[in-house]
Amino acid sequence: MKLFSSIEQVIKQGGWGGVICVGNFDGVHLGHIGLLECAKALGPVLVLTFEPHPVGMLFPERAPKRIATPERKLELLEQQGVKAVVTQAFDRAFAGTPAACFEQLLFSDLGAHTIAVGANFTYGAGRCGDIESLQEAGRRLGGRLFVFPELKVGGLVVSSSRIRRMVAAGEVEGVRDYLGRPFELEGEVIEGEKRGRALGFPTANMAYGDILLPKPGVYAVEFALASEGRWRGGVANLGHKPTFSTFSSAKVELEVHVLEASGHWYGEKAGIRFLSRLRDERRFAGVEDLKAQIRADVAAAKPFLKP
């Protein structure tokens, strides 16, 4: 898959004579996948996406949490058979691009024979361009517009905003119906306080970036080191460790007890798939009560884990 850092870079290399899919593609959910599948039937696909998220640049206080890191988004797009991706910097200057100029970029300067977008697509300064104006631009400039209709699951529209709400509420089982896969995050294994090892349940403590997190609690998960790519079952605690800390002041931490495996793994990259939320996090009266609950959590997690 070819990677471009700007629209201008593609134009300088001769443009793209195939299909251009435009959107943020955060999470590459089932709606995005449906759009890409249709687009691939029309020709080789280039995805035009933006960094940072336009809402986050224009309204920082409303910046949505990422469903996937930019690196993971590229991996997911490549898995869908996308031939090239342009990650266009979305700054104040680009946000001020008039709708007519953006139409010119797509149909004339880039040379796409088809532009593919979702049903709610808007563009241009002040978001004044819409599906109707883009269709008219295609007719005027000799191109075609393909509009992918809203995809619904269980009567509800598949959208990045819905997925964010579900993950934030801890609904990690249900969100698979919208993502098409478990919700996952990536991070780095860091050294912790080694309490889990002392309890007989060693954990991999994870550092993560500015990304969407599930509701604090205990989860059945799968864990994989990037260097291995092998998914192992586990139980994750996401929260404040209230038995050992002051709940109001502790930061949100993520630690995973990996079943049938242990190691230090410090400094290694790892992925975590959230399969099911088992319970809320709570404070225990003592260490023995906590150990008994961890054993119960492991038993509760096993039905959700691959044999």
Side-chain angles (χ1 to χ4, degrees), residues 5-67:
S5 59
S6 68
I7 295 173
E8 194 62 33
Q9 188 180 23
V10 183
I11 294 172
K12 287 180 179 179
Q13 295 191 21
W16 188 265
V19 183
I20 297 179
C21 292
V22 190
N24 191 261
F25 290 90
D26 185 17
V28 191
H29 57 57
L30 287 180
H32 298 139
I33 292 170
L35 169 61
L36 294 171
E37 286 296 319
C38 292
K40 285 189 297 182
L42 303 174
V45 172
L46 176 147
V47 165
L48 170 57
T49 188
F50 308 97
E51 187 63 35
H53 193 291
V55 173
M57 194 286 295
L58 294 169
F59 309 100
E61 72 283 358
R62 289 164 45 192
K65 289 289 186 181
R66 299 179 188 274
I67 299 171

Side-chain angles (χ1 to χ4, degrees), residues 220 235 276 278 294-305:
V235 176
S276 180
L278 302 177
I294 295 174
R295 286 192 291 270
D297 293 337
V298 170
K302 285 185 176 178
F304 300 99
L305 306 177

Side-chain angles (χ1 to χ4, degrees), residues 15 39 47 71 167 179 193 209 232 254 278:
V47 165
E71 296 78 15
V167 171
L179 275 175
E193 297 173 341
R232 297 181 171 94
L254 174 61
L278 302 177

Side-chain angles (χ1 to χ4, degrees), residues 163-278:
I163 289 168
R164 290 189 188 95
R165 290 194 299 270
M166 293 181 72
V167 171
E171 299 173 23
V172 295
E173 287 188 70
V175 83
R176 296 180 68 157
D177 294 335
Y178 298 86
L179 275 175
R181 62 183 186 280
F183 173 74
E184 59 189 22
L185 59 81
E186 298 173 318
E188 179 180 323
V189 182
I190 58 173
E191 190 168 357
E193 297 173 341
K194 301 183 176 63
R195 287 199 183 99
R197 191 171 299 277
L199 293 170
F201 299 94
T203 60
N205 293 267
M206 302 296 299
Y208 52 85
D210 185 20
I211 193 168
L212 178 66
L213 291 176
K215 180 180 180 180
V218 177
Y219 291 84
V221 300
E222 289 181 327
F223 172 93
L225 295 170
S227 59
E228 293 182 354
R230 175 189 172 191
W231 291 96
R232 297 181 171 94
V235 176
N237 188 89
L238 176 67
H240 307 274
K241 301 181 184 178
T243 301
F244 299 105
S245 62
T246 302
F247 190 89
S248 61
S249 62
K251 66 178 181 180
V252 176
E253 297 184 4
L254 174 61
E255 55 183 352
V256 185
H257 171 55
V258 184
L259 307 184
E260 300 177 4
S262 64
H264 295 299
W265 304 327
Y266 300 142
E268 292 206 45
K269 301 293 184 182
I272 301 171
R273 292 172 174 168
F274 290 80
L275 306 181
S276 180
R277 190 171 190 272
L278 302 177

Side-chain angles (χ1 to χ4, degrees), residues 84-95:
V85 176
V86 184
T87 304
Q88 172 66 44
F90 196 89
D91 52 19
R92 290 286 175 184
F94 190 82

Side-chain angles (χ1 to χ4, degrees), residues 85-206:
V85 176
V86 184
T87 304
Q88 172 66 44
F90 196 89
D91 52 19
R92 290 286 175 184
F94 190 82
T97 303
C101 293
F102 191 67
E103 296 160 0
Q104 178 75 25
L105 279 173
L106 294 177
F107 288 112
S108 298
D109 299 344
L110 284 167
H113 66 65
T114 302
I115 302 299
V117 297
N120 296 318
F121 182 71
T122 58
Y123 62 96
R127 300 172 68 183
C128 62
D130 56 17
I131 295 298
E132 185 177 346
S133 60
L134 197 56
Q135 285 176 328
E136 172 56 32
R139 288 191 290 266
R140 187 175 68 253
L141 299 172
R144 173 187 176 188
L145 178 65
F146 173 80
V147 181
F148 185 72
E150 289 182 333
L151 178 67
K152 293 186 177 181
V153 172
L156 300 175
V157 175
V158 177
S159 68
S160 296
S161 58
R162 183 177 302 282
I163 289 168
R164 290 189 188 95
R165 290 194 299 270
M166 293 181 72
V167 171
E171 299 173 23
V172 295
E173 287 188 70
V175 83
R176 296 180 68 157
D177 294 335
Y178 298 86
L179 275 175
R181 62 183 186 280
F183 173 74
E184 59 189 22
L185 59 81
E186 298 173 318
E188 179 180 323
V189 182
I190 58 173
E191 190 168 357
E193 297 173 341
K194 301 183 176 63
R195 287 199 183 99
R197 191 171 299 277
L199 293 170
F201 299 94
T203 60
N205 293 267
M206 302 296 299

